[in-house]
């Protein structure tokens, strides 16, 4: 029986082609990527047809991507890559003395340029019959536990139909989306809706991957946060409704025990003077502690 060909010399020749002017990070990262990619191709016995189909999938993801939907992020999400990167990033900035708020994936529907609004404002910009209103509030502190004045808290979630504003032209601009600046005591406050489970878009590349893996596209109900403050590591995270479906089988693997929260019947006095004061049914206090912007692990800071 003939022995299997040895392709290691070919793989090494591809690695050796990396030029001397490549950055240090490229010189350390690309050989690892090439070795594992070549090893997977060899182990699978990848056919030309399968390789072309894989390329077509990536091309399709690129064509449908825009500033409102990043299909490549969705592809990485359903393969668990973004959550794995997030886990590594959180560990990199971990402080043994204090535990900062757990991070989670950004997802494909983050939008830049959302205006900052006064604390207590509503991010509900159209009528949503039957959707419970929530008073969401909390305090942002630094890695020493001190309240941060002027931290920017960016919040967004899906509407009751399961779509974000960027997915639906019928929704007003920035519906269920807003940015807030913490006050002198590090406090933020807003009115939002209780989120609902929804399917990630599965009409393109990510959906094809889910189909061939015999998996569903659903995510549990959650609210996104993007929190920035000088001297602190920017926090990207999500919080999940404990009563939601799909906590145990999130399509993008983002649920973590410390990010599961309870929406409770409203008892704290919400901000007065808003158009939804009488409709607030739930409240959620979510306090956030940011990690230091500095880490001892400098090996990942090189430019790629």
């Amino acid at each position: 029986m003939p022995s299997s060909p040895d392709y290691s010399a070919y793989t090494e020749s591809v690695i050796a082609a990396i030029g001397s002017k490549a950055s240090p990070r490229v010189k350390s990262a690309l050989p690892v990527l090439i070795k594992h990619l070549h090893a997977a191709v060899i182990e699978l016995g990848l056919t030309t047809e399968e390789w072309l189909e894989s390329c077509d999938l990536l091309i399709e993801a690129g064509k449908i991507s825009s500033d409102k939907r990043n299909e490549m992020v969705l592809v990485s999400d359903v393969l668990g890559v973004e959550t794995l990167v997030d886990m590594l990033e959180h560990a990199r900035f971990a402080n043994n003395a204090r535990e900062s708020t757990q991070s989670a994936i950004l997802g494909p529907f983050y939008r830049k340029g959302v205006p900052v609004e006064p604390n207590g404002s509503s991010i509900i910009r159209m009528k949503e019959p039957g959707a419970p209103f929530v008073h969401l509030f909390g305090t942002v502190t630094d890695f020493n536990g001190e309240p941060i004045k002027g931290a920017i808290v960016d919040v967004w979630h899906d509407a009751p139909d399961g779509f974000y504003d960027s997915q639906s032209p019928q929704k007003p601009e920035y519906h269920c989306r807003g940015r807030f600046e913490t006050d002198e005591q590090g406090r933020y406050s807003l009115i939002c809706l209780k989120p609902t489970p929804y399917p990630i878009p599965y009409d393109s590349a990510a959906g094809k991957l889910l189909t061939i893996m015999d998996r569903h596209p659903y995510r549990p109900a959650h609210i996104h946060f993007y929190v920035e403050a000088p001297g602190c590591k920017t926090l990207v995270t999500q919080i999940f409704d404990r009563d939601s479906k799909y906590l145990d089988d999130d399509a993008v693997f983002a649920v973590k025990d410390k990010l599961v929260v309870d929406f409770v019947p409203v008892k704290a006095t919400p901000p007065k003077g808003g158009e939804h004061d009488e409709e607030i049914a739930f409240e959620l206090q979510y306090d956030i502690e940011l990690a230091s912007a500095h880490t001892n692990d400098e090996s990942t800071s090189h430019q790629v």
Side-chain angles (χ1 to χ4, degrees), residues 22 36 49 65 71 84 105 108 124 132 144 161 166 197 290:
H36 284 282
E49 182 180 8
S65 293
E71 189 69 13
L84 182 56
I105 65 175
I124 307 160
N144 294 313
D161 62 2
S166 56
L290 301 180

Side-chain angles (χ1 to χ4, degrees), residues 83-93 297:
T83 289
L84 182 56
V85 171
D86 165 66
M87 292 165 67
L88 293 169
E89 184 81 349
H90 185 76
R92 194 173 295 127
F93 285 84
D297 182 0

Side-chain angles (χ1 to χ4, degrees), residues 93-287:
F93 285 84
N95 184 335
N96 293 329
R98 303 183 65 91
E99 183 174 8
S100 60
T101 298
Q102 182 71 57
S103 58
I105 65 175
L106 179 65
F109 297 117
Y110 171 68
R111 295 185 65 183
K112 297 180 179 179
V114 179
V116 174
E117 302 178 62
N119 275 305
S121 299
S122 172
I123 63 173
I124 307 160
R125 312 192 194 275
M126 65 180 287
K127 291 185 177 180
E128 296 281 10
F133 287 66
V134 177
H135 176 209
L136 173 60
F137 62 98
T139 302
V140 179
T141 55
D142 65 14
F143 40 90
N144 294 313
E146 296 296 324
I148 303 174
K149 176 186 176 182
I152 298 299
V153 181
D154 197 335
V155 175
W156 68 103
H157 64 76
D158 66 325
D161 62 2
F163 291 104
Y164 291 86
D165 62 327
S166 56
Q167 293 177 278
S168 175
Q170 289 76 36
K171 289 181 169 55
E173 188 81 338
Y174 306 135
H175 180 49
C176 298
R177 192 184 295 271
R179 296 172 76 216
F180 301 86
E181 185 174 347
T182 56
D183 64 14
E184 290 80 2
Q185 284 78 48
R187 299 173 301 188
Y188 72 93
S189 175
L190 62 127
I191 307 301
C192 63
L193 293 173
K194 199 168 185 282
T196 185
Y198 66 86
I200 62 171
Y202 53 96
D203 57 342
S204 186
K208 288 181 178 179
L209 277 174
L210 289 171
T211 298
I212 64 176
M213 291 188 288
D214 188 28
R215 286 173 44 199
H216 70 75
Y218 282 89
R219 299 217 58 211
H222 60 279
I223 298 175
H224 292 265
F225 284 81
Y226 190 110
V227 186
E228 299 176 282
C232 295
K233 173 80 168 63
T234 296
L235 174 69
V236 177
T237 195
Q238 303 176 25
I239 52 176
F240 300 87
D241 183 356
R242 192 180 306 278
D243 295 331
S244 177
K245 295 175 63 177
Y246 308 110
L247 288 175
D248 295 327
D249 58 347
D250 179 9
V252 300
F253 310 101
V255 178
K256 300 169 186 176
D257 290 343
K258 292 182 179 179
L259 296 178
V260 178
V261 299
D262 295 291
F263 292 82
V264 299
V266 64
K267 57 182 182 234
T269 303
K272 293 298 181 184
E275 57 180 314
H276 304 304
D277 286 348
E278 305 304 319
E279 302 174 84
I280 300 171
F282 293 93
E283 68 176 29
L284 174 61
Q285 179 174 353
Y286 193 67
D287 297 327

